[in-house]
Amino acid sequence: MAASAPTSTSFKASHIPPLSSSRKLLSHFTLPFPHNPNKLPSAAAISHRRALHISNVLTSPDQQLIPDEEEEPSFASRFAPDEPRKGCDVLVEALEREGITDVFAYPGGASMEIHQALTRSATIRNVLPRHEQGGVFAAEGYARASGRPGVCIATSGPGATNLVSGLADALLDSVPVVAITGQVPRRMIGTDAFQETPIVEVTRSITKHNYLVLDVEDIPRIVREAFFIARSGRPGPVLIDVPKDIQQQMVVPNWDQPMKLGGYLSRLPKPPSEVLLEQIVRLISESKRPVLYVGGGCLNSSEELRRFVELTGIPVASTLMGLGSYPCSDEEYSLQMLGMHGTVYANYSVDKSDLLLAFGVRFDDRVTGKLEAFASRAKIVHIDIDSAEIGKNKQPHVSICADIKLALQGLNLILEEKGKEGGVNPPDFSAWREELKEQKLKFPLSFKTFGDAIPPQYAIQVLDELTGGNAIISTGVGQHQMWAAQFYKYNKPRQWLTSGGLGAMGFGLPAAMGAAVARPDAVVVDIDGDGSFIMNVQELATIRVENLPIKIMLLNNQHLGMVVQWEDRFYKANRAHTYLGNPSKESEIFPDMLKFAEACDVPAARVTKREDVRAAIQKMLDTPGPYLLDVIVPHQEHVLPMIPSGGAFQDVITEGDGRTKY
């Protein structure tokens, strides 16, 4: 989902006037734009040595910005200012100047100079993945869990192409990642040299921007621009391709080079219009059945969103990417997830609503189903930071291209002012919420138990209880992913790490790796399926060597569960290569995941009976360091509710499983 920009700042506002006096919404970020917002500054005006934390909007002309020198000391280089050094050392120092402390880098012939330079850095730690895809997914996990850009490094050719799935995933889910690849020397580019791939061309459509470095003197500027682009506006991945001879070339770097991003800066959205915000407030006051439809764009605006719900009393339905932006455990206002496998009551609320407030979302097909039937009775308000998303799939009645954080701040100030005026009663949506509570009672999230078999939903419920809902959860892709979205109650943003738009299997373990590096104080659990887990099983070696305390709860049904579910429902249960076990020994668990863990010296256990689940999960959580728990679950389970692809709310399926013929 389209995401708003990060919330860190490298300048401070000396005075922020209230909305009532100035009505100009202010950014919490940093660009000192001129008084005429239509005339952009030169890049030199915004160039400085510190790490860039840039606004995704033009700041107010009334805002006086002062560099905060106390909080941002000047960078201390290990080189003398006029001392020549290799391009690879310039690259590593440029990363240090961006505040990078962790990278996920796998060496090769065209990138080994960068790795040699990394060994000379006193501040950057390399977490060595065992596959480049593991590295880029780990960088994503790092970024998703922390909000800061994740960095991965790979060699040329196959090393670079192994990053492709991760870059595509980061673009679709708006994750700030900077990927650095080695490349063959400049003179050999285009000659089909050993391990040469034109990675800039390969990734052009799946990155926000990319660079091929052809001049060693450009490295400081390119790295600064790359992090600026990755963080600002709608975040996304940026790739920097560095030929080996550039890495080896000696240079005295100029750290004060201006950025050359005039066109990009001109397209960053302005603060939201007060007139449009007033119009939204008026629509709210006129509505009877409003619903908030919030996505990944709200992850940096959780506090503002909570305040908005407090002021308006509007119930909240979240996309898969938006889980945690509003507390899922709030029984009064949270409707949990909407969409194909969303709750009946969340989808009911959208179907019956007369006003849909779509904040930081992109009307994805897995949410909307049949577009004409989605929110067909409602006026639609769409606020998103990416102008390309507005009207792309569903035409809104009111739209604002802006940072959702600023829009919510403005809406909250308007609502608070109206509350202070007196005589103006806020709209009362309690009857609407009671109607939705009836739907919650009628169609709760539930599951059935068959003998002593372990329902996968039950295992996730127990994990939620034992972690107090406070763990960071990563997943692969499939049934286990949907159950983790439904049955774990996410109360904070950046608790939930999953491949949403791309749906990349193998994401869970490396993403947990990145999260554990970014948030060493947190409990990190990878809820995985056997199909997804085996795709990056080699990262068990990484978590053991790095002693990352990642807990892996493997819901093992010996099948590609989600494809099996579709086979059951739509293909008369005809199995088309979806059984992952050994056909000659169907009674045995194959492959034996415990032996993978044993090979990597990771403690592991298997649980097969429902009565043993709680003690097994508690032991997993109590064991120091990494741990794998192999939970054997029946393959007949289906993720419900389910709205078939291209269907509408009235097509929702709430009953049945693989034990029934359709």
Side-chain angles (χ1 to χ4, degrees):
M1 301 303 160
S4 63
T7 57
S8 53
T9 176
S10 58
F11 284 83
K12 63 182 181 183
S14 60
H15 174 66
I16 299 180
L19 189 70
S20 56
S21 60
S22 72
R23 286 294 194 209
K24 288 192 174 73
L25 294 174
L26 303 174
S27 166
H28 283 270
F29 309 97
T30 62
L31 276 181
F33 281 102
H35 284 219
N36 179 2
N38 297 317
K39 184 180 178 184
L40 286 160
S42 68
I46 60 173
S47 177
H48 53 80
R49 292 190 173 201
R50 293 179 297 278
L52 282 176
H53 303 276
I54 307 295
S55 172
N56 56 334
V57 296
L58 298 176
T59 52
S60 163
D62 297 335
Q63 186 177 11
Q64 183 183 349
L65 293 167
I66 306 166
D68 191 346
E69 297 296 345
E70 290 180 9
E71 293 183 14
E72 302 245 6
S74 59
F75 183 83
S77 173
R78 63 182 180 277
F79 295 95
D82 57 352
E83 181 183 352
R85 76 291 306 257
K86 284 183 172 182
C88 58
D89 287 301
V90 177
L91 178 65
V92 169
E93 183 168 322
L95 294 176
E96 292 172 344
R97 288 170 179 263
E98 292 296 330
I100 299 304
T101 56
D102 303 281
V103 298
F104 303 89
Y106 197 89
S111 66
M112 60 188 298
E113 289 282 355
I114 300 172
H115 282 262
Q116 291 295 313
L118 284 170
T119 67
R120 296 188 281 271
S121 171
T123 57
I124 297 180
R125 162 199 185 190
N126 181 36
V127 177
L128 177 68
R130 268 42 179 187
H131 190 289
E132 290 91 352
Q133 188 183 91
V136 67
F137 283 160
E140 272 201 89
Y142 182 99
R144 291 172 189 254
S146 68
R148 304 187 301 273
V151 178
C152 59
I153 303 173
T155 192
S156 62
T161 56
N162 279 339
L163 301 179
V164 166
S165 293
L167 295 173
D169 188 63
L171 186 72
L172 280 168
D173 287 352
S174 307
V175 180
V177 168
V178 174
I180 299 168
T181 50
Q183 184 55 278
V184 299
R186 285 173 294 178
R187 68 183 181 279
M188 298 172 71
I189 292 176
T191 68
D192 293 336
F194 177 66
Q195 290 193 333
E196 181 194 356
T197 301
I199 198 62
V200 164
E201 299 303 322
V202 170
T203 62
R204 191 177 300 282
S205 61
I206 55 167
T207 51
K208 192 175 175 185
H209 193 56
N210 55 27
Y211 295 91
L212 173 61
V213 182
L214 294 175
D215 187 337
V216 69
E217 294 188 354
D218 288 341
I219 291 175
R221 173 183 61 83
I222 284 174
V223 173
R224 183 179 295 126
E225 288 180 7
F227 278 89
F228 173 32
I229 292 168
R231 288 183 179 113
S232 57
R234 178 177 178 173
V238 179
L239 181 131
I240 306 172
D241 198 27
V242 190
K244 189 167 184 177
D245 59 323
I246 293 280
Q247 299 171 35
Q248 295 169 327
Q249 191 173 340
M250 302 298 288
V251 67
V252 176
N254 173 15
W255 298 108
D256 295 319
Q257 293 178 60
M259 292 196 301
K260 298 178 181 178
L261 295 173
Y264 177 74
L265 293 171
S266 69
R267 293 192 298 273
L268 291 175
K270 298 175 177 61
S273 156
E274 178 204 344
V275 174
L276 289 175
L277 295 179
E278 293 274 12
Q279 190 177 347
I280 293 169
V281 171
R282 186 171 69 252
L283 286 172
I284 292 170
S285 67
E286 293 169 356
S287 70
K288 302 294 183 188
R289 299 182 303 281
V291 175
L292 273 159
Y293 157 36
V294 301
C298 294
L299 289 177
N300 289 331
S301 314
S302 180
E303 289 182 18
E304 291 81 3
L305 178 62
R306 292 185 199 202
R307 179 60 179 153
F308 180 77
V309 173
E310 187 182 312
L311 289 166
T312 61
I314 298 175
V316 185
S318 173
T319 68
L320 182 72
M321 293 301 302
L323 288 171
S325 54
Y326 189 83
C328 292
S329 60
D330 185 337
E331 293 293 337
E332 181 67 26
Y333 298 109
S334 175
L335 302 171
Q336 296 176 251
M337 187 172 71
L338 81 165
M340 177 179 280
H341 292 295
T343 62
V344 171
Y345 38 91
N347 289 320
Y348 173 93
S349 73
V350 172
D351 188 62
K352 302 297 182 187
S353 67
D354 61 5
L355 177 64
L356 185 69
L357 301 174
F359 290 176
V361 295
R362 57 186 180 89
F363 290 89
D364 178 72
D365 61 286
R366 286 293 171 110
V367 166
T368 63
K370 187 178 181 181
L371 269 168
E372 311 84 72
F374 182 75
S376 57
R377 301 172 175 84
K379 292 178 180 175
I380 296 174
V381 173
H382 192 185
I383 304 178
D384 199 278
I385 201 164
D386 185 357
S387 59
E389 294 297 346
I390 294 174
K392 184 178 82 173
N393 294 328
K394 190 84 175 172
Q395 196 62 43
H397 297 80
V398 178
S399 64
I400 300 177
C401 180
D403 182 351
I404 188 66
K405 191 179 189 76
L406 299 184
L408 281 168
Q409 286 172 350
L411 288 168
N412 291 345
L413 285 169
I414 293 169
L415 290 164
E416 286 166 354
E417 282 176 17
K418 288 188 179 296
K420 289 175 185 175
E421 286 171 5
V424 181
N425 294 320
D428 181 8
F429 302 124
S430 57
W432 170 230
R433 292 198 303 274
E434 286 301 317
E435 183 181 337
L436 296 178
K437 283 179 184 175
E438 288 176 18
Q439 290 296 310
K440 285 185 180 184
L441 293 172
K442 193 174 178 182
F443 297 104
L445 285 174
S446 61
F447 54 88
K448 294 177 181 176
T449 301
F450 294 87
D452 59 1
I454 302 170
Q457 306 94 323
Y458 172 71
I460 294 167
Q461 267 190 349
V462 172
L463 179 70
D464 181 42
E465 290 173 27
L466 295 179
T467 57
N470 292 318
I472 293 175
I473 304 293
S474 71
T475 73
V477 169
Q479 287 182 315
H480 70 274
Q481 176 191 29
M482 294 298 103
W483 285 319
Q486 292 176 336
F487 287 92
Y488 198 97
K489 300 297 182 281
Y490 304 94
N491 293 319
K492 297 174 186 173
R494 307 202 177 281
Q495 268 189 275
W496 167 243
L497 319 177
T498 199
S499 175
L502 190 67
M505 291 174 68
F507 179 83
L509 181 56
M513 204 162 75
V517 172
R519 303 267 299 276
D521 56 323
V523 175
V524 180
V525 182
D526 170 27
I527 299 176
D528 226 327
D530 49 314
S532 282
F533 177 69
I534 206 167
M535 286 196 176
N536 272 313
V537 69
Q538 76 283 341
E539 299 309 328
L540 283 173
T542 307
I543 66 173
R544 175 70 282 168
V545 169
E546 299 290 340
N547 199 31
L548 298 174
I550 294 164
K551 314 304 180 185
I552 303 156
M553 190 169 84
L554 193 60
L555 302 180
N556 189 345
N557 64 5
Q558 297 282 281
H559 288 73
L560 281 173
M562 188 60 85
V563 188
V564 165
Q565 176 170 333
W566 282 54
E567 287 176 341
D568 287 341
R569 294 280 178 177
F570 311 119
Y571 295 89
K572 299 180 180 178
N574 181 45
R575 294 288 174 259
H577 321 120
T578 47
Y579 176 59
L580 299 178
N582 184 348
S584 65
K585 298 180 180 178
E586 286 197 21
S587 61
E588 297 180 10
I589 301 298
F590 178 88
D592 188 343
M593 301 298 184
L594 303 186
K595 289 184 178 176
F596 282 131
E598 182 185 353
C600 294
D601 194 25
V602 172
R606 176 175 292 150
V607 59
T608 59
K609 295 182 179 180
R610 188 182 194 274
E611 62 193 34
D612 299 329
V613 166
R614 184 175 294 272
I617 293 176
Q618 189 64 63
K619 183 179 178 183
M620 174 185 78
L621 295 171
D622 292 342
T623 302
Y627 191 97
L628 186 149
L629 180 62
D630 192 19
V631 184
I632 308 303
V633 299
H635 71 272
Q636 296 95 339
E637 287 294 326
H638 284 187
V639 180
L640 297 174
M642 178 184 183
I643 297 175
S645 183
F649 173 64
Q650 59 264 31
D651 303 316
V652 66
I653 299 167
T654 58
E655 292 291 334
D657 56 26
R659 301 170 183 90
T660 308
K661 291 199 183 304
Y662 300 94

